[in-house]
Structure formats: C-alpha cells, structure tokens
Amino acid sequence: MKKILSILLAAILFFTYSVYVFAAGENTSDVNINIIDNTKLVQTITDKNELQKIIERDHLTVAPNSQLEKVEIFVYEPENNESITNSNMNIQPMAGLIYEIRNVVVSPKEFYYVNKYSSDWYDGPCVINHTYTEEKEVEYNINTTIGNSTVSAAIGYALNETFTVSKSFSTTVASGKRLNVRVHTNYKSTEFDIYNKFTGKLVESKAWAAKPIGLVIFQYTYSK
C-alpha cells in the first residue's frame, strides 16, 4: 500500500510557504527546504488563521484563557552525517541470489510523521539548553523477502538499520509565556523496483525505504 509516497504525491496542501510545505495526511508531513546551516529556522507563523489550521492539524489542546501565539519550525540535518550512527547490519546473503533492485529513485522531498514525536513543556521566564536525541529504525514498505545486502548495495543502507540523531538546542521562553517543544525525526525516502534475477520479471514495483536524516523541531508559544 505504499502509504507514505502516495500521501506525498497526492496530498492536499493545508498551506504553502516558500521554504516549507505541509502535506495533509494522518501520518506524514513533507518538507521542501534548502538547508544553509545544519540547523535552520525555516518558518515562523503568527497569522491567526494559519495558527488555527496548525491547532487542528497537530491536535493541539489550548487551555482556557490561553492562546497559541506563535509557531516556529526548525530543521536540523547533520553536516556529513556527523551525528548519525547506525547499528550493525544483519546480512541475508541467500535472498540476494534471487532478486535484484532496479530503477532506484531518491525522493527530492523529506517527510516526518505528524503523530510521532517527543514533547516537553516549559514555563517562562527561562532559558532552555537541551539535547534532543532520537533513535529510529529505517522505515520501509516491501512485500518481497529480500536480503539486506541487496537493499544496502542498491540504496546505501539496510532495512534493519537503526540511526541515532542527536542535537543540542537552545531557546528562551519569555515571562508570561508557555512553550511546548515537539521533536520529530526527519526522513528521506528511496523508491525502487524488485526483479527476479533469473526470469527478469518484475516482482514488486514502487517498494520504498526511508532513512532518518535529521530532526524537525516545532516550538509552540502560548500565552498563560
């Protein structure tokens, strides 16, 4: 059912900015960003109509006598993967004798799961210095039993790898404000077809795998 890629390709947009795009869908949101630094503030939202859309999309609960005033979105991608580590791969050599991967396409977009995040709350005034660490497995949708060595040779990583992304992050919460920080793992996907080596026949089309590549950090600022 190729859930993520179909959402990315056929999404109805909630709203569009020049550097950040949110895609509708129960599980994912996609990102289209030019990264200048390895951590970048990509969007600040203060418009009341757009904030209301975020409240509905992110299932935010706004306390009585409080108001969502601002949302800031940061993207962190390690330079040269310096903060990403992976576990040892469990190679399955026999499965690689039967199948081969063709038509590998790396998606130009990135995505994160809207409903999968870590969350912290802070009451101002205060200064936050925190290290966010997310350890995530490769996501994939493949119906064919295929060896990790075959996948790794084609796309550069195996299906059973686990990646850890860690980032120190600082921010300030003003007096009379309350801050909610949500941290999502950011992914980049690769799509490919699986063929039988001996018959040359297509076994599965548009299989995909997605590797954790960084973090998407949301800061929701509320009045209190």
Side-chain angles (χ1 to χ4, degrees):
M1 44 186 275
K2 314 302 181 290
K3 182 163 56 178
I4 292 179
L5 290 178
S6 62
I7 290 174
L8 296 178
L9 294 174
I12 301 172
L13 298 182
F14 277 122
F15 52 93
T16 305
Y17 295 95
S18 59
V19 294
Y20 209 91
V21 181
F22 292 106
E26 61 180 3
N27 290 324
T28 67
S29 186
D30 70 349
V31 187
N32 185 11
I33 306 166
N34 293 321
I35 302 297
I36 297 175
D37 304 313
N38 67 350
T39 306
K40 183 173 182 177
L41 173 64
V42 296
Q43 193 66 50
T44 300
I45 301 124
T46 57
D47 179 82
K48 290 185 178 180
N49 292 330
E50 300 301 344
L51 289 174
Q52 184 59 41
K53 293 177 182 178
I54 292 175
I55 290 172
E56 295 170 1
R57 187 204 69 207
D58 293 357
H59 306 291
L60 304 179
T61 300
V62 181
N65 302 319
S66 182
Q67 182 177 349
L68 179 62
E69 297 182 339
K70 179 172 63 175
V71 176
E72 296 168 286
I73 307 163
F74 297 83
V75 171
Y76 165 62
E77 291 190 356
E79 294 177 345
N80 301 318
N81 292 343
E82 83 274 11
S83 295
I84 296 183
T85 59
N86 61 284
S87 63
N88 293 327
M89 294 181 294
N90 178 22
I91 303 299
Q92 299 170 296
M94 294 304 296
L97 299 177
I98 303 172
Y99 302 112
E100 63 183 359
I101 291 177
R102 304 179 191 174
N103 308 322
V104 177
V105 178
V106 178
S107 172
K109 293 186 177 182
E110 302 164 7
F111 74 89
Y112 64 91
Y113 289 94
V114 173
N115 60 350
K116 294 182 180 181
Y117 56 85
S118 57
S119 177
D120 292 298
W121 288 87
Y122 304 92
D123 290 306
C126 65
V127 176
I128 303 164
N129 294 288
H130 189 76
T131 298
Y132 299 105
T133 300
E134 296 291 322
E135 183 176 296
K136 300 295 182 181
E137 297 178 348
V138 168
E139 297 282 344
Y140 62 89
N141 188 22
I142 302 173
N143 298 318
T144 307
T145 301
I146 187 168
N148 278 324
S149 58
T150 302
V151 175
S152 178
I155 68 175
Y157 54 91
L159 301 180
N160 65 337
E161 287 191 75
T162 298
F163 293 82
T164 300
V165 186
S166 185
K167 174 62 180 175
S168 296
F169 196 77
S170 300
T171 191
T172 300
V173 186
S175 178
K177 307 298 180 184
R178 194 173 193 218
L179 183 70
N180 178 215
V181 179
R182 290 186 180 183
V183 181
H184 304 258
T185 300
N186 202 18
Y187 295 85
K188 181 176 283 290
S189 61
T190 301
E191 188 179 88
F192 48 89
D193 299 328
I194 301 173
Y195 284 79
N196 186 299
K197 280 185 178 182
F198 300 102
T199 65
K201 290 184 178 181
L202 177 66
V203 176
E204 183 176 351
S205 64
K206 298 187 182 304
W208 61 263
K211 171 185 175 181
I213 60 166
L215 302 176
V216 179
I217 302 170
F218 280 75
Q219 290 190 168
Y220 305 90
T221 299
Y222 297 85
S223 62
K224 67 172 186 175

